Amino acid sequence: MDACDRCGILTRMQPDGTVRIEVERSILQSADEAAAAIRALLSGRKIYALNLISSPGSGKTTLIEALLARFDGKGGVAVVEGDIETEIDAERIRKHGVQVRQINTHSACHIQPFRLLSVLREMDLSETRLLLVENVGNLVCPAEVSLGEDSRVVLLSVTEGDEKPLKYPLVFKTSDLLVITKTDLLPYVTFDVDRVRRAARAANPSVEIFEVSATTGAGMPALLDRIEALRAAKTA
Amino acid sequence: MHELGVAGGILDVALSEAARHASKKVTSIRLRVGVLRAIEPENLSFLFGHLARGTPAEGALLEIVEEPIRVDCPACGVSEARAFTFECPRCNGSGVSVTGGDSLSILSLDVDV
């Protein structure tokens, strides 16, 4: 290994006359830099941020609505909705009287951190203590990119099947909270909650797992309490 | 198609390194890709080739070094798996944790100078 006489970087001449440059850099470096900028923006303002990831229809928007009901009047909540097209989710959230922005990714399958960063810079976050980012419904690509969030939440509804952590391990490995949703439907579907728990723990031993039904309200208080505690720890 | 963002990231790094070394041609790029990333090498090469058209990285070969999934088993220690599992690939014990296999990095690139 020789150091380049111009820049000092480690290089090596190959037999074919090309020069090998050793870089060892993350492929997602520019995305990681945008995520770091988001993290700094949120830390400076003491805002606690959640990145909500799931398949389409698992209950991300419903969880946001439950959080809005819980945090109503307890300090500002801001919401960023990510969808490939339409403002449907933003309009649904706007009815609750909170600040909401919609990111339409068009062909892209997840929110890119630089898009989120520019949206956050346009928002008035002076009163915000909790930021809820709803990613595009997809278990693959959103897992690959950090949005600078404090906690990543993956939702899995019981109608999707209990093999999801085995099929989409990265999202379960990188999530801090796993929320198993629609548990009121467990009598009607084949879904082994313990199998999901074991697989999720293998992917991430420190994952916190919640079982909820927004329809009956079962399990929701424990989840909302935990998110409130996490927010309080960040914003204290 | 999630390889598109990865291909764009590789191209960004390759072009900035090529410019830093005043190189007009990148001939190959070595990557370390963890199995957990679910990257299809053919998709990645196709998309990279498309994005790199007309740049110094046009025609560069992507060499992918696959990183296996690293599994820690409380009973028998560390081993490697080719697919995600929550049972130890060696002793079939439970309680294992997956501790590696999500790398996504550029190791080196070969350039003409």
Side-chain angles (χ1 to χ4, degrees):
Chain A
M1 196 85 69
D2 309 303
C4 167
D5 56 9
R6 281 185 303 228
C7 61
I9 198 165
L10 294 175
T11 59
R12 193 166 51 200
M13 187 69 84
Q14 300 293 107
D16 62 2
T18 62
V19 168
R20 174 154 296 177
I21 308 167
E22 310 281 342
V23 279
E24 191 75 52
R25 262 167 70 173
S26 165
I27 288 170
L28 301 175
Q29 186 163 332
S30 59
D32 292 343
E33 285 166 2
I38 294 170
R39 205 171 290 116
L41 184 153
L42 298 174
S43 289
R45 295 171 176 274
K46 294 198 169 186
I47 298 169
Y48 172 71
L50 288 180
N51 180 2
L52 304 173
I53 301 176
S54 77
S55 310
S58 302
K60 295 184 292 302
T61 315
T62 300
L63 174 59
I64 288 175
E65 290 182 312
L67 285 164
L68 292 178
R70 163 63 78 103
F71 287 100
D72 186 36
K74 290 189 189 173
V77 183
V79 180
V80 176
E81 288 287 341
D83 277 297
I84 291 179
E85 302 292 349
T86 82
E87 287 252 346
I88 291 170
D89 279 356
E91 282 161 16
R92 180 169 155 191
I93 297 302
R94 198 166 284 129
K95 291 186 183 131
H96 296 264
V98 297
Q99 190 177 196
V100 57
R101 290 286 188 284
Q102 179 83 47
I103 294 178
N104 283 138
T105 59
H106 303 296
S107 62
C109 42
H110 60 281
I111 296 178
Q112 295 277 20
F114 64 86
R115 284 287 301 278
L116 178 62
L117 181 62
S118 64
V119 164
L120 293 178
R121 283 176 173 157
E122 289 166 7
M123 294 174 83
D124 174 10
L125 299 174
S126 52
E127 301 294 318
T128 303
R129 292 292 167 266
L130 176 65
L131 172 69
L132 305 173
V133 181
E134 178 174 345
N135 222 312
V136 177
N138 175 350
L139 284 176
V140 185
C141 320
E144 294 168 1
V145 180
S146 168
L147 295 178
E149 68 268 18
D150 294 288
S151 302
R152 180 173 290 191
V153 182
V154 59
L155 297 89
L156 174 62
S157 62
V158 300
T159 55
E160 291 170 60
D162 54 22
E163 78 291 354
K164 287 292 176 293
L166 296 169
K167 288 183 172 175
Y168 303 93
L170 189 64
V171 70
F172 291 90
K173 180 171 169 51
T174 59
S175 289
D176 306 292
L177 276 66
L178 163 61
V179 183
I180 300 171
T181 63
K182 309 186 189 181
T183 54
D184 54 300
L185 299 179
L186 277 171
Y188 312 107
V189 294
T190 306
F191 186 94
D192 183 343
V193 173
D194 283 339
R195 187 174 186 224
V196 170
R197 286 179 167 272
R198 276 189 296 144
R201 286 247 154 75
N204 176 8
S206 62
V207 69
E208 298 181 41
I209 304 173
F210 297 85
E211 297 172 31
V212 304
S213 164
T215 301
T216 66
M220 290 297 282
L223 173 61
L224 300 180
D225 286 350
R226 182 60 184 141
I227 292 172
E228 184 161 9
L230 289 166
R231 182 197 70 145
K234 169 93 181 264
T235 60
Chain B
M1 275 302 281
H2 74 125
E3 288 87 355
L4 185 59
V6 175
I10 296 167
L11 185 62
D12 287 346
V13 174
L15 294 181
S16 74
E17 290 295 329
R20 215 149 68 90
H21 290 78
S23 166
K24 292 204 166 40
K25 180 139 189 69
V26 179
T27 57
S28 70
I29 304 169
R30 283 173 67 242
L31 314 167
R32 184 192 293 118
V33 178
V35 171
L36 288 172
R37 291 284 173 180
I39 297 286
E40 280 292 335
E42 278 184 16
N43 281 354
L44 183 64
S45 291
F46 171 78
L47 292 165
F48 177 82
H50 182 74
L51 294 177
R53 254 183 236 166
T55 76
E58 180 168 353
L61 192 70
L62 298 188
E63 293 174 42
I64 297 176
V65 179
E66 189 182 84
E67 178 189 62
I69 296 174
R70 186 188 144 106
V71 179
D72 277 10
C73 171
C76 67
V78 177
S79 56
E80 291 182 346
R82 310 305 294 177
F84 179 72
T85 174
F86 57 97
E87 285 173 352
C88 175
R90 206 152 43 200
C91 70
N92 295 326
S94 61
V96 299
S97 56
V98 173
T99 57
D102 60 352
S103 285
L104 193 57
S105 55
I106 296 189
L107 299 174
S108 66
L109 38 124
D110 292 355
V111 300
D112 286 340
V113 290

